[in-house]
Amino acid sequence: MATFVPRKVFPTLNSLPRSYFLGHHKAGLDKMKTMLSHTDLVIECRDYRTPLTSRNPLFEENLAGRERLIVYTKQDLGSAGQNKDKTRERLIQDFQRPSTVLFSDYKNKSSIRKILEFARTHAAAADSLTGSRMMVVGMPNVGKSSLLNALRGVGVHKGKAAHTGAQPGVTRKVGTTVKIIEGDESGEGVYLMDTPGVFIPYVPDTEAMLKLALCGSVKDAIIAPTTLADYLLYHLNLYDPFVYGEYESPTNDVVQLLDALARNTGRLQKGGTPDLEASALWLIQRWRNGHLGRFVLDEVTPTSLEGEKRTNESVGLSLSQGRKMMKELRKQKARQKHLDTH
């Protein structure tokens, strides 16, 4: 039997949309700016699996002037706790100085306590009798609301205050503040405000868009599920081509894998035809939930970090470009709908 050779590069798909900057993203960002004068600390969430791609320069541009804590969420979905994971984390921490960087899993109380301790220390330094106000920001579906609920649960032993969901857009408006640390004789405590996810106005390359879509930062309908599944297969094969071995032998053919998945899991249409789209969505969700390996999609090296910094310096200036892309996307959908009904 021939030795399996995974693809070394994924083909460029120029037809993919390059923006998901929606109206409520801009409205939310504008509201955050008005709240900045009442905010002591900005907690910016990024996805551990896309530590470079999930950075949004709009936050640095529009929320400047406040100390920033960067929290890489969903650590449990991207790290196996190996030396290479720890090396990557140190590189990221060094790169983000002087901002403090923490890595978190909302189900891990130890990591949540580290964030609470940072918030407590920061609030004590502010020395305000009326308490400390903080704001959590990030890309869509990066885990802001889950983090807020975890901080509230561990910090003041209260139930969920923010709604969460598997698709982006659950939080669409800047919310009210919730207490995450009880007050004492020196002040009222620490309060945290949830905010809607804000997408990058214009994604610099199609692979970055695939990464964000695979992690759930855009709705699954924006990019064809089979395309996303193919991109996932590309990464699975680089990580471990036997991770999906209970369904199919190592392959670079996504249709072959989805066909086998459909037959093994009963995702069949009338007449027994495999439902490839349903199988693709199921495969993607399995990876998102940590059942198909734990790895990151971004390459994190000193060279890639510097390159990402140069790339993102121009992204924040692309608001008008992002709006044009979304307008064109709506036109394309309208044209397709017209063709489908005639």
Side-chain angles (χ1 to χ4, degrees), residues 41 67 69 100 102 114-123:
L41 175 71
E67 186 172 347
L69 169 65
T100 298
L102 295 174
K114 288 180 182 178
I115 300 171
L116 287 169
E117 187 55 39
F118 184 93
R120 185 179 288 108
T121 301
H122 188 275

Side-chain angles (χ1 to χ4, degrees), residues 120-165:
R120 185 179 288 108
T121 301
H122 188 275
D127 193 25
S128 172
L129 292 175
T130 58
S132 179
R133 266 66 180 173
M134 302 179 180
M135 181 189 300
V136 60
V137 304
M139 294 273 278
N141 210 23
V142 79
K144 301 177 300 300
S145 298
S146 294
L147 177 64
L148 182 148
N149 288 332
L151 291 169
R152 177 176 165 85
V154 175
V156 296
H157 309 293
K158 295 288 181 66
K160 291 182 178 181
H163 296 293
T164 60

